[in-house]
Amino acid sequence: MLASGVAAGIFAGIAFGGDWRRLSTFTLKLWPVLVIALALRAIGTVVPSSPLELYLVSLLGVAVVAAWNWRVPGAVLLAFGTFLNLAVAVLNSGMPYDAATVAAVAAQPPNDGLHVPVGPATRLEFLSDVIPVAPIRSVFSLGDFLVGLGGFLIPFMWLQPAAAAMRGGDLRSPNFAFFWMGQAISRFGDPITLIALTYVTYRATQSALLTALAVLTATIPNALFGFFGGAVADAIGHRRVMLWCDILRAIVLAVVP
């Protein structure tokens, strides 16, 4: 997932107006550790019978380098996802995978020293390879998705030009006043929408569990994308991001029966 995320981040960064020449200026602290970790993982790919310790050292190396470079946008997600995978692999003497899910997406069962089938004694099963991605016939863990997202953001954000600083006079602009009023109204409506969602869900289902799940589903995007949403807006453009997000939100709310 890391390699795929990085490749997608480079492609998207250039597509959104980034300068590919900025890649030559990218630096990472402890980069030799990352090179060694990736080399160990490559050995594990070429030699499937490699011991589990090789994979664990590789994961640890990637996690340490990502955590050490936490100021780089996307590095925290990369570190967190890698640490999740590492913790699950250590607790279960391997990375568990759900054989039924693998068969459901017609994927090949893992045949290496890292993966082990999910069993009754599996710990933190929800963090194992249990998330199917049918279009590419693969099964991933939550940590894998975080690793891929972090790997995407690192080159994507690096390729974007630096955002211009706001001048003091901009705050007194009539356009800013209209923008502020519009956002205030929008922010006032958000909690009302959440309250209405809670009420309608409970009236329709009479289920506390489904109501809680509905509220959780509505709040997860803010909790998840809030970590890097500002950085993405800086890279793509504040006005463009706000405009399209509000348009998409209006469309989604409009189609709710």
Side-chain angles (χ1 to χ4, degrees):
M1 287 292 283
L2 177 58
S4 301
V6 170
I10 294 174
F11 178 81
I14 296 174
F16 277 91
D19 186 358
W20 63 270
R21 290 170 294 187
R22 284 177 56 84
L23 289 173
S24 62
T25 65
F26 182 73
T27 58
L28 277 178
K29 300 175 183 177
L30 300 182
W31 65 265
V33 177
L34 179 62
V35 172
I36 294 173
L38 295 179
L40 292 176
R41 187 55 188 262
I43 293 174
T45 302
V46 176
V47 185
S49 59
S50 299
L52 173 63
E53 290 75 14
L54 180 140
Y55 296 95
L56 297 182
V57 171
S58 174
L59 288 172
L60 180 61
V62 173
V64 168
V65 173
W68 200 267
N69 293 273
W70 62 273
R71 292 182 181 273
V72 177
V76 172
L77 286 174
L78 175 57
F80 186 58
T82 308
F83 273 123
L84 285 181
N85 286 342
L86 178 61
V88 175
V90 169
L91 289 174
N92 295 282
S93 298
M95 187 66 182
Y97 69 92
D98 188 352
T101 304
V102 170
V105 297
Q108 290 294 328
N111 183 25
D112 53 36
L114 173 62
H115 292 88
V116 295
V118 169
T122 298
R123 300 178 180 179
L124 300 178
E125 182 178 343
F126 68 99
L127 294 177
S128 304
D129 287 343
V130 295
I131 304 175
V133 182
I136 59 175
R137 296 184 177 182
S138 297
V139 179
F140 298 104
S141 67
L142 175 61
D144 290 335
F145 283 101
L146 294 177
V147 167
L149 183 57
F152 172 88
L153 286 175
I154 290 174
F156 178 82
M157 298 304 301
W158 187 264
L159 289 173
Q160 304 307 314
M166 178 178 286
R167 300 184 300 272
D170 294 337
L171 299 177
R172 296 187 293 270
S173 168
N175 291 332
F176 180 80
F178 287 128
F179 160 74
W180 189 90
M181 291 176 60
Q183 287 298 306
I185 295 173
S186 176
R187 293 298 181 183
F188 179 75
D190 288 342
I192 294 178
T193 302
L194 185 59
I195 294 172
L197 173 66
T198 305
Y199 174 77
V200 171
T201 303
Y202 188 76
R203 283 291 302 272
T205 65
Q206 295 295 312
S207 170
L209 175 60
L210 293 178
T211 303
L213 290 176
V215 174
L216 180 63
T217 302
T219 54
I220 280 178
N222 283 336
L224 179 61
F225 294 103
F227 286 108
F228 53 86
V232 174
D234 287 340
I236 299 177
H238 300 164
R239 184 176 182 276
R240 184 187 304 174
V241 170
M242 288 188 295
L243 179 63
W244 281 108
C245 285
D246 283 341
I247 290 175
L248 291 176
R249 289 173 61 195
I251 294 174
V252 171
L253 287 176
V255 300
V256 174

